[in-house]
Amino acid sequence: MEHTFYLDAHWDGGRNSTGTIEAGNLKQSISIPKEMDGPGVGTNPDEMLLGAAATCFLITYAAILERAAIKTDALALASEAIVDVTNNVFTFKQIHHRPTVTVFDASQIKKAEQLAFKAEQSCMISKAVARNVQITVEPTVQSGASVE
């Protein structure tokens, strides 16, 4: 079974212009980020790739934890992307995911940590960029009993 997704994009001019994208529920202004000498309006490809990788990882991790019957009280994610600029060539180099999970049962901490790495390997976006972008996962898993 295949799923098809569509995106419509419009651009207002040259390099430092702005545009819009629309894909299903995603409706957003776009431009080059200020960090790359653009206008910094709306989002940009770097944020969208990081967002795609992060949301894919987070949803995959939640599903894997559920299938493993690990009940969580909280699941959060902080992710960052590193883009290298050498000789005016922009290269998306790395993504770091730092999930934080609170599990109900302290005996499941180790398993929940292991499943974070499985989630990264199983995520569709991670697999799509695997040859070009280094992805790391640094999980923090704690039990609800240890949370103050």
Side-chain angles (χ1 to χ4, degrees):
M1 173 190 304
E2 291 184 347
H3 300 279
T4 303
F5 298 90
Y6 298 96
L7 182 138
D8 289 316
H10 300 275
W11 192 252
D12 296 331
R15 179 194 186 279
N16 284 326
S17 294
T18 61
T20 58
I21 57 169
E22 190 170 327
N25 291 321
L26 175 65
K27 295 174 176 62
Q28 184 65 50
S29 297
I30 57 170
S31 74
I32 294 173
K34 285 187 183 217
E35 298 85 355
M36 296 177 179
D37 298 323
V41 174
T43 192
N44 58 69
D46 308 285
E47 291 173 343
M48 289 191 299
L49 182 55
L50 177 59
T55 55
C56 183
F57 170 82
L58 187 62
I59 292 167
T60 302
Y61 191 24
I64 287 173
L65 289 167
E66 182 179 282
R67 278 188 234 119
I70 297 177
K71 294 188 189 252
T72 62
D73 185 43
L75 175 56
L77 178 64
S79 295
E80 68 179 335
I82 308 298
V83 175
D84 179 60
V85 183
T86 302
N87 298 324
N88 281 336
V89 175
F90 294 82
T91 304
F92 207 102
K93 302 268 298 187
Q94 301 173 351
I95 294 174
H96 303 288
H97 295 307
R98 293 180 184 91
T100 303
V101 184
T102 304
V103 297
F104 284 108
D105 183 349
S107 70
Q108 295 181 319
I109 289 175
K110 188 76 167 162
K111 181 68 172 176
E113 287 174 350
Q114 293 168 345
L115 292 177
F117 298 100
K118 182 177 181 183
E120 187 274 319
Q121 294 169 353
S122 302
C123 167
M124 174 179 66
I125 302 299
S126 295
K127 290 192 270 184
V129 301
R131 291 186 174 181
N132 296 308
V133 178
Q134 177 189 16
I135 301 176
T136 61
V137 178
E138 299 172 31
T140 300
V141 182
Q142 57 197 2
S143 72
S146 67
V147 178
E148 297 181 22

